Amino acid sequence: MALRIIRLTMRLLKPYTSFHFCPHGYHEVNGNILVPGQIRGMDHLRDARLNKGLAFTLEERQLLGLHGLLAPRIKTMDEQLEICRTAFANYNHDLNKYLYLVDLQDRHEKLFFRLISENVEQMMPIVYTPTVGLACQKFGLIYRRPRGLFVTINDRGHVFQVLQNWPESDVRAIVVTDGERILGLGDLGACGMGIPVGKLALYTAFAAIKPHQCLPIVIDVGTNNEAFLNDPFYIGLRQRRVQGCAYDQLIDEFMEAVVRRYGQKTLIQFEDFANQNAFRFLDKYRHSYCTFNDDIQGTAAVVVAGIYAAQKVTGKRVSDNNFLFFGAGGAAVGISDLLVKAMLIEGCTSDKAYEKIWMFDKTGLVVKGRHRVESNNHEVKYERNHCDMDNFAEIVKEVQPSVLIGASTVANAFTPDILRTMAECNERPVIFALSNPTSMAECTAQQAYECTEGRCLFASGSPFPEVNFNGKTYNSGQGNNAYIFPGIALGVIVSGTYHISDNFFLIAAKAVADKLTDEDLLRGSLYPPLATIKDCSLEIALGVMEYAYENGIASTYPEPVDKLAFIKSRQYNFLYDSALPTTWQWPQKARKLCQQFDKYGK
């Protein structure tokens, strides 16, 4: 009897408490409950999820024990946002702006995410590329507090226990990196944590995925970066990278532990793994787990979106183009695979589709019978029956591509001669300089427009300033994966799919291209304004959800009649909630409790 009463009491109080009984014998934070009734006074100000600062009303301050702890002025959230924008603008250095946003997230979670989501063009270059690369390089110096999990090679056999230490039990999405290939900066080891933290911030800001459902993770197996090994501020394991069987066993254990802890439908996004591991893990896990690789599949989708957009100017279908890649790593192969899929949908044969794609890597043109620098079975599909060539400028003249794609992290690889050749071969050449950060781009927007007489359709991986050429202003688009991965994740989470289809990424590419207007094209962009990313994410999620139900791979039942409304009902609310229970809740629940007591008493 006593145990039943205790259980009933806990069930009654659950909406007002941050703790619940757990079968493992410890307490967990319930991220859905933003206003736990057991918290009073200063704890409301110390918890970023609960803190509203001066936006607490007078009633809230009095009933929650906050009266006197705050300055008497009561402000609206909009007034707080204006202060944040002013403070942000007062910082001159991008890294200082990054640190300001990190501090804001630590203090005011809702204010942080609303600031990012409503000021995308100003904030995304700081939260994401290119500034996040600098933040990763300085991560040991700027590290303040944990915002994710570090799983090390020394945790083999105990990875599940490490995951149990994360206080949230309702994790739906994980972004994981081993830090070996951070952007174009190389091996940053444990300092690569800035990447999954930044990616998941965009999950919430752009797709309104609830922040407590997101978990950034670094797999730390060491680093081969000599500077970090000798850096007293480095925060990771001071050893060279563990490779081979021990490394693979750790990743296997990690994947199994995620499913055991959070369930089979937990989305696991692989980020910035070295090429030799990225494809291996994608092939190994894609049919066993709910996973994708953003560097391979996300990059592919955003580039294909740009190709779809270019059709509106060139009039060419995807299969009408010749594609030449500078770089034949994971990103290039991922883009090529999705291009082939798009061409097959247009009715092109498989052989013909592969003939449309040329690749150039460290040793030259990718051709049959030559010795490759590193084993990449996926690159084999794109080997051509052609003589060896190692001069990229000469290859451009011979192949005469209509689309030139840089995915190499080799700065200035697209020389003025190469760009002029593209202009000679095409009325409207399409040029993608995708490498991040900006310093690694294959060419600048200025160089592309000047060398093609302003006729090119240009996009880059990181933002470039506007270009003035021959009296016209060009605002080139940024082919940023942020157009893609938040929407994919939202669609996967709400539909409950167990595996992620390549078709999801074609759906995403088309959704982004459809958002492009004639005005966007006139200003020189192949992508809609960054401010539309939230709309893109919603359209992508809807497309993914519809495809999942049509093909029987969704597990959320019953199938929602109004899928768009269903998606919105599962999204994060960027506005402050009341910090007090409604007046009717307590009496109503008290009556129910008394009824239960009477029932069991009889």
Side-chain angles (χ1 to χ4, degrees):
M1 175 66 68
L3 182 59
R4 286 179 175 176
I5 292 174
I6 290 173
R7 286 175 175 169
L8 284 170
T9 304
M10 291 306 298
R11 192 178 304 146
L12 170 67
L13 295 178
K14 186 175 181 180
Y16 303 97
T17 178
S18 61
F19 307 107
H20 61 83
F21 285 117
C22 174
H24 303 294
Y26 54 83
H27 292 157
E28 297 178 1
V29 176
N30 187 338
N32 281 315
I33 306 306
L34 296 179
V35 190
Q38 289 185 351
I39 294 179
R40 280 184 57 81
M42 190 64 76
D43 288 335
H44 269 91
L45 306 180
R46 289 173 176 158
D47 191 324
R49 293 171 303 173
L50 309 180
N51 186 23
K52 302 197 302 187
L54 295 181
F56 281 110
T57 65
L58 181 59
E59 183 184 16
E60 288 171 336
R61 297 181 189 203
Q62 291 173 337
L63 294 180
L64 297 174
L66 295 172
H67 198 71
L69 298 179
L70 295 165
R73 170 74 184 276
I74 296 175
K75 293 190 176 183
T76 65
M77 193 179 195
D78 288 336
E79 288 176 313
Q80 290 178 317
L81 282 172
E82 186 58 34
I83 292 172
C84 290
R85 284 189 284 264
T86 301
F88 179 86
N90 283 337
Y91 289 101
N92 295 321
H93 197 284
D94 286 346
L95 187 59
N96 289 334
K97 292 182 177 182
Y98 177 89
L99 292 174
Y100 170 76
L101 293 176
V102 168
D103 179 64
L104 181 63
Q105 187 176 11
D106 287 343
R107 293 183 290 107
H108 284 270
E109 185 175 89
K110 289 209 168 193
L111 198 57
F112 166 80
F113 284 117
R114 189 175 167 196
L115 179 68
I116 301 299
S117 67
E118 294 184 4
N119 301 273
V120 178
E121 295 187 358
Q122 295 79 27
M123 303 296 166
M124 194 164 74
I126 306 300
V127 175
Y128 195 44
T129 57
T131 305
V132 71
L134 177 61
C136 286
Q137 290 175 304
K138 304 288 186 182
F139 203 76
L141 186 63
I142 66 175
Y143 180 76
R144 297 291 184 272
R145 52 157 285 180
R147 191 166 289 284
L149 281 177
F150 292 86
V151 178
T152 76
I153 190 67
N154 300 327
D155 296 320
R156 280 181 298 169
H158 306 284
V159 174
F160 177 70
Q161 285 72 26
V162 175
L163 292 183
Q164 281 185 306
N165 288 335
W166 188 249
E168 298 287 358
S169 60
D170 186 29
V171 170
R172 307 288 181 88
I174 290 172
V175 175
V176 59
T177 184
D178 71 349
E180 189 170 5
R181 192 194 61 81
I182 299 297
L183 302 176
L185 302 171
D187 187 349
L188 300 187
C191 292
M193 176 58 90
I195 296 296
V197 168
K199 290 274 185 179
L200 288 171
L202 301 189
Y203 266 43
T204 301
F206 298 158
I209 296 171
K210 297 172 182 176
H212 79 271
Q213 295 179 338
C214 301
L215 172 57
I217 295 180
V218 161
I219 304 290
D220 187 358
V221 295
T223 179
N224 293 332
N225 187 319
E226 291 290 346
F228 279 166
L229 289 174
N230 297 311
D231 184 356
F233 297 120
Y234 181 58
I235 62 172
L237 293 179
R238 286 180 172 277
Q239 63 181 51
R240 295 200 171 275
R241 281 190 171 271
V242 174
Q243 299 175 334
C245 185
Y247 173 76
D248 286 0
Q249 288 175 352
L250 178 64
I251 302 298
D252 284 342
E253 184 184 352
F254 165 74
M255 299 296 284
E256 293 167 4
V258 167
V259 170
R260 181 182 171 193
R261 176 76 169 102
Y262 299 117
Q264 189 71 45
K265 292 183 289 186
T266 308
L267 172 64
I268 306 171
Q269 176 180 324
F270 278 73
E271 193 69 38
D272 288 351
F273 282 73
N275 287 332
Q276 66 270 21
N277 293 321
F279 270 111
R280 282 198 310 116
F281 293 146
L282 181 60
D283 291 342
K284 184 176 184 178
Y285 299 129
R286 68 190 308 170
H287 300 300
S288 304
Y289 296 92
C290 180
T291 186
F292 73 98
N293 185 297
D294 186 51
D295 303 303
I296 297 172
Q297 296 164 288
T299 301
V302 79
V303 173
V304 173
I307 302 299
Y308 282 144
Q311 290 179 341
K312 301 177 182 181
V313 177
T314 65
K316 295 181 179 180
R317 302 182 307 163
V318 178
S319 53
D320 294 332
N321 289 287
N322 259 354
F323 301 90
L324 176 58
F325 287 82
F326 187 83
V333 174
I335 295 166
S336 299
D337 287 348
L338 200 62
L339 285 171
V340 168
K341 195 171 187 68
M343 286 188 268
L344 294 177
I345 291 174
E346 291 180 350
C348 187
T349 66
S350 179
D351 290 341
K352 191 70 174 175
Y354 282 109
E355 287 177 4
K356 294 286 184 179
I357 296 171
W358 300 75
M359 287 191 179
F360 181 92
D361 67 9
K362 297 175 183 177
T363 58
L365 188 65
V366 176
V367 297
K368 293 185 181 295
R370 63 153 198 161
H371 173 70
R372 290 189 297 277
V373 172
E374 56 186 36
S375 178
N376 182 351
N377 293 329
H378 294 268
E379 183 185 313
V380 173
K381 298 178 291 187
Y382 300 101
E383 291 179 342
R384 305 300 299 264
N385 286 312
H386 197 280
C387 62
D388 282 335
M389 295 183 69
D390 58 8
N391 187 311
F392 189 67
E394 292 300 319
I395 293 171
V396 175
K397 291 179 180 178
E398 179 164 336
V399 172
Q400 296 191 357
S402 55
V403 181
L404 184 63
I405 302 174
S408 64
T409 69
V410 178
N412 302 314
F414 295 167
T415 64
D417 285 344
I418 289 173
L419 296 172
R420 281 192 282 268
T421 300
M422 287 293 295
E424 292 170 2
C425 300
N426 304 279
E427 178 61 29
R428 299 302 300 270
V430 181
I431 299 167
F432 289 89
L434 298 176
S435 293
N436 289 316
T438 311
S439 59
M440 299 292 183
E442 286 76 12
C443 69
T444 66
Q446 186 80 36
Q447 291 167 338
Y449 287 116
E450 287 182 353
C451 294
T452 62
E453 300 173 339
R455 290 187 283 114
C456 72
L457 299 170
F458 176 81
S460 57
S462 288
F464 279 103
E466 65 180 30
V467 174
N468 294 299
F469 180 75
N470 279 351
K472 185 175 179 180
T473 300
Y474 299 89
N475 291 280
S476 61
Q478 182 185 357
N480 198 309
N481 293 16
Y483 283 105
I484 305 296
F485 64 79
I488 293 282
L490 179 60
V492 167
I493 290 171
V494 296
S495 61
T497 58
Y498 286 90
H499 308 296
I500 297 177
S501 167
D502 283 335
N503 288 309
F504 289 177
F505 295 94
L506 274 181
I507 290 169
K510 290 176 181 176
V512 173
D514 287 346
K515 285 291 181 184
L516 191 76
T517 66
D518 292 339
E519 290 75 16
D520 296 328
L521 288 170
L522 286 174
R523 66 184 176 87
S525 179
L526 292 176
Y527 296 97
L530 291 174
T532 67
I533 287 185
K534 289 189 292 183
D535 295 330
C536 291
S537 296
L538 206 55
E539 289 295 326
I540 292 169
L542 180 60
V544 166
M545 197 173 187
E546 290 174 342
Y547 179 91
Y549 280 104
E550 288 168 3
N551 291 273
I553 59 175
S555 69
T556 300
Y557 291 105
E559 179 180 348
V561 176
D562 187 338
K563 294 181 176 62
L564 184 60
F566 180 81
I567 293 171
K568 291 180 178 180
S569 73
R570 295 298 186 271
Q571 289 184 299
Y572 180 64
N573 177 18
F574 291 94
L575 302 177
Y576 289 143
D577 295 306
S578 172
L580 300 173
T582 57
T583 55
W584 60 269
Q585 282 180 312
W586 279 108
Q588 183 183 37
K589 289 185 177 291
R591 282 194 297 271
K592 288 184 178 179
L593 181 61
C594 291
Q595 291 168 1
Q596 294 287 354
F597 285 166
D598 291 341
K599 176 181 177 182
Y600 287 112
K602 294 176 181 177

